Amino acid sequence: MTTFPLPLTELLGQYGSFMIYLLVGVAFGATLETAGFGNSTKLAAQFYFKELTVFKVMFTAIIVAMTLIFLSSAVGLLDYSLIWVPPTYLWPGIVGGLIMGVGFIVGGFCPGTSLVGMATGKVDAFFFVLGVLSGIFIFGETVGSFAVFFESSYMGRFTLPELFGLSYDTVVLLIVVMALAMFFGAEKVEKAMGHETAQSTPRWYLPAAASLVALAALTLVIGQPENQDRWKLIEAEKSRQLDEREVQIAPAELLSLINDSKIKAVLLDVREERHFNQFHLHGARRLAEDEIIASADELIFEPANTVFVLMSNDESAATEAWKMLKAESVPNVYILEGGINNWIRTYADEEFVQERLIRKHSNEQPAWRFDAALGSRHPAAEPNEHAFEIEFEPKVKLELKRAPTSGGCG
Amino acid sequence: MSTQSRAKPYMNPYLAGTLLGVVLFLAFFITGTGLGASGGLNRLLVYGQNLVAPEHIDQVPYLLKMAGGSTNPLESWIVFLTVGTVIGGFISGLFGRRVKFETNKGPRIDNKTRWAMAFIGGGLMGYGARLARGCTSGQAMSGGAVLSVGSWAFMFAVFAGAYALAYFLRRYWN
């Protein structure tokens, strides 16, 4: 299992984890200050092409962080699925960005740099921070009037490699090369604009750029781990859980989860569409075989009290799906014991169980016959828990979330 | 003040960018999330609002998430990150002998104009940052490094907005 990101709350407790964030903040503030970002005239100079420091610092930071993230993911140290990727709300993001661009040139800071400016006694930064607080205040009071726009064009966790249909490593290498080319251009622009500190190019520029390209190329050679590679890392521990039947929950436990108001039970049905149409549990969502891995991105960011329960006609298809989701680091995934067939045996009325039984059915085929595609309209799709007093051994233990459910500016 | 003459120069931008990149990487590597600033300010503000008008908080859904009922808006990682940013900026400024009460502005305007513009610009920044669900650090830089489509679109929008208006404000900065 990949070690990083660390389950901070589990390791250090809530306040211990907050101390880590405090330290990260100290490092962040110190680097911003030392780059000159506490000084508004230096920031604004970017937009008159006099000095492209903002662009250089920001893009260097992006390509360095990006290369290290995907390199450590490629070698199996870091789990990219657990990394907070800001979800895309395209138009609110673009409109907000334009407003911020205007605010940048008018006010001379962005929120992060104004904090650093304020910390070093810049009076204009202090007024800027007051302005930011007012802007946030007005936003909180007015967002209700345009809530539809604020929630619009939502695309979830959507990445550039998915947009362009390229692999992650290819995109990383392309961005590194493009950024370096733009730095070269930026140096030319600064010289042309007669920037006073544009001295001769330091000797380490070329080797530094070459090493970064080499790291990105190395990432490309190793490649990001596929679902099967990720499964191999956790196979020993997870196979034991399967063998000792720690994750196969009885129908009665599933029913109690569905009716537990403190738990969000997400029922994932991995059977063929025709079987699903004939009968499925109330509220179940069908997940086609080729959608399982892709669905993990979305499942990871469900609330911490979510329990995912996979089901097929018997257990084997659901078990394969369980392996895929565990390999993608989805927490709290369980398998319905004995599958839908066992569910029907438990909750359908006696007459149905007797008369509709298909005696010789092969593995992962329905054991009961339906005359029509009833979907969830069959009484057993939503049984009344109190009509059945069934004992079960509770197996579900909620895991603490490793992945943050908010990030960036959460 | 004499400190200005002794102030150390800022770091080479590529070196500073590399340091910032390593900090950003470590943030993702250890905690799973990137950097940010506007979220922390948001929660500090909501904390204040909650002291003044707690009933109001309970009526606005956007605020309710952060401070409804007994939820303490300060019990969030981003608040600690924000406080750390201020401390880190101060420490670095101290070592670089750059801590000084002053107003940075273009040569043609007076301090009061600069302060008013900083306040207005800050207001736009704060409003835009919440609309875009993140600021330059949280959305553009952190989201950019992990290849979010929305973050890259946002980044281009920020530069577009600033460059579009820069010409009209040239006398103000230069």
Side-chain angles (χ1 to χ4, degrees):
Chain A
M1 196 158 167
T2 54
T3 326
F4 294 94
L6 294 171
L8 285 180
T9 318
E10 207 176 294
L11 289 176
L12 304 168
Q14 194 188 21
Y15 284 92
S17 77
F18 286 164
M19 288 305 115
I20 300 288
Y21 287 107
L22 188 78
L23 290 177
V24 171
V26 168
F28 177 44
T31 36
L32 282 184
E33 204 283 331
T34 190
F37 284 6
N39 183 336
S40 55
T41 44
K42 201 167 171 68
L43 292 164
Q46 166 74 33
F47 300 102
Y48 298 98
F49 298 104
K50 287 199 303 195
E51 129 168 32
L52 301 176
T53 310
V54 173
F55 169 76
K56 291 185 206 166
V57 173
M58 197 166 145
F59 271 82
T60 309
I62 289 177
I63 58 174
V64 167
M66 175 183 71
T67 308
L68 293 174
I69 287 168
F70 288 96
L71 180 62
S72 47
S73 163
V75 298
L77 270 177
L78 175 70
D79 192 340
Y80 177 67
S81 312
L82 293 179
I83 291 279
W84 170 256
V85 176
T88 296
Y89 291 82
L90 190 62
W91 288 108
I94 289 176
V95 174
L98 288 171
I99 295 174
M100 287 181 73
V102 171
F104 203 155
I105 197 70
V106 171
F109 288 104
C110 64
T113 56
S114 69
L115 291 174
V116 169
M118 188 176 71
T120 49
K122 311 297 177 241
V123 183
D124 48 333
F126 173 73
F127 279 98
F128 186 92
V129 172
L130 284 185
V132 172
L133 290 171
S134 314
I136 293 174
F137 172 74
I138 297 170
F139 180 80
E141 299 302 310
T142 55
V143 62
S145 61
F146 56 89
V148 174
F149 175 70
F150 185 53
E151 303 295 336
S152 68
S153 53
Y154 174 66
M155 300 173 192
R157 181 179 168 127
F158 184 38
T159 61
L160 292 177
E162 286 163 353
L163 177 69
F164 297 126
L166 295 168
S167 78
Y168 278 88
D169 317 289
T170 314
V171 172
V172 167
L173 185 59
L174 283 176
I175 291 177
V176 167
V177 171
M178 271 191 283
L180 292 173
M182 284 168 82
F183 293 154
F184 184 75
E187 295 299 321
K188 296 266 176 230
V189 168
E190 280 186 350
K191 284 219 174 75
M193 299 296 283
H195 177 47
E196 67 270 23
T197 59
Q199 319 99 339
S200 60
T201 316
R203 245 183 257 153
W204 51 268
Y205 276 14
L206 215 53
S211 339
L212 195 61
V213 173
L215 284 181
L218 179 65
T219 310
L220 181 65
V221 172
I222 304 171
Q224 298 296 305
E226 297 286 323
N227 187 265
Q228 284 173 346
D229 306 323
R230 298 170 61 107
W231 169 249
K232 291 216 177 71
L233 291 173
I234 56 171
E235 192 174 3
E237 159 70 6
K238 297 295 164 190
S239 296
R240 185 195 59 78
Q241 286 191 324
L242 284 175
D243 294 343
E244 296 181 7
R245 300 197 65 79
E246 286 177 6
V247 293
Q248 291 88 342
I249 63 170
E253 180 165 17
L254 174 55
L255 188 57
S256 84
L257 288 174
I258 293 170
N259 291 323
D260 188 336
S261 59
K262 293 195 288 296
I263 297 285
K264 179 178 176 188
V266 174
L267 314 180
L268 301 171
D269 195 322
V270 297
R271 294 174 301 159
E272 286 171 42
E273 193 166 6
R274 59 195 175 101
H275 295 154
F276 182 80
N277 290 343
Q278 278 180 350
F279 173 84
H280 60 250
L281 268 57
H282 183 76
R285 163 180 161 193
R286 198 179 87 85
L287 207 53
E289 205 182 339
D290 54 357
E291 293 169 354
I292 296 171
I293 293 171
S295 71
D297 284 352
E298 169 201 339
L299 301 182
I300 285 174
F301 292 99
E302 288 284 346
N305 64 336
T306 309
V307 173
F308 304 97
V309 183
L310 288 159
M311 56 198 76
S312 53
N313 282 317
D314 293 306
E315 267 180 24
S316 51
T319 303
E320 286 311 305
W322 185 86
K323 290 178 183 173
M324 290 181 207
L325 290 183
K326 287 320 282 182
E328 295 295 321
S329 308
V330 180
N332 301 316
V333 194
Y334 292 87
I335 299 165
L336 175 60
E337 189 171 59
I340 294 287
N341 287 338
N342 187 26
W343 178 274
I344 294 176
R345 187 180 302 115
T346 313
Y347 288 116
D349 59 81
E350 206 133 312
E351 195 188 319
F352 183 92
V353 170
Q354 296 291 333
E355 291 181 4
R356 303 297 183 98
L357 181 67
I358 305 166
R359 292 201 186 277
K360 279 188 180 167
H361 72 277
S362 45
N363 185 35
E364 285 299 349
Q365 289 300 314
W368 277 275
R369 189 166 29 78
F370 288 88
D371 293 335
L374 289 177
S376 63
R377 284 165 309 203
H378 190 279
E382 201 181 2
N384 176 358
E385 194 179 7
H386 304 292
F388 300 86
E389 297 267 324
I390 304 175
E391 295 275 313
F392 61 87
E393 174 201 347
K395 291 178 180 170
V396 171
K397 287 189 214 92
L398 281 185
E399 295 169 44
L400 278 177
K401 279 180 86 85
R402 267 173 87 191
T405 39
S406 73
C409 288
Chain B
M1 255 161 81
S2 60
T3 45
Q4 183 64 14
S5 56
R6 291 191 293 121
K8 291 183 188 167
Y10 295 119
M11 193 182 277
N12 173 294
Y14 298 111
L15 197 57
T18 305
L19 270 183
L20 189 56
V22 171
V23 172
L24 179 59
F25 163 69
L26 286 177
F28 273 119
F29 193 66
I30 297 169
T31 73
T33 188
L35 304 166
S38 65
L41 288 173
N42 194 353
R43 283 173 178 275
L44 289 168
L45 175 78
V46 173
Y47 180 74
Q49 280 179 284
N50 203 19
L51 292 180
V52 182
E55 313 82 18
H56 179 65
I57 298 278
D58 292 335
Q59 286 160 1
V60 180
Y62 184 75
L63 304 174
L64 191 62
K65 275 187 293 185
M66 288 178 266
S70 61
T71 314
N72 181 354
L74 300 186
E75 283 195 6
S76 164
W77 62 275
I78 185 89
V79 173
F80 287 82
L81 185 72
T82 305
V83 172
T85 307
V86 176
I87 298 173
F90 180 70
I91 295 173
S92 164
L94 218 53
F95 276 100
R97 302 196 202 101
R98 290 182 292 256
V99 179
K100 184 193 173 196
F101 282 105
E102 62 175 348
T103 298
N104 298 119
K105 58 182 178 59
R108 296 167 207 249
I109 56 165
D110 61 11
N111 280 353
K112 287 207 177 99
T113 315
R114 172 71 189 110
W115 296 342
M117 291 290 267
F119 182 79
I120 296 167
L124 290 167
M125 266 285 179
Y127 198 92
R130 294 330 289 168
L131 179 57
R133 295 175 168 82
C135 55
T136 358
S137 357
Q139 186 68 273
M141 205 172 69
S142 306
V146 292
L147 305 178
S148 165
V149 171
S151 299
W152 282 83
F154 165 84
M155 197 184 326
F156 287 117
V158 174
F159 277 98
Y163 274 111
L165 205 68
Y167 177 80
F168 302 101
L169 288 174
R170 63 192 186 284
R171 299 205 161 270
Y172 164 71
W173 283 112
N174 296 292

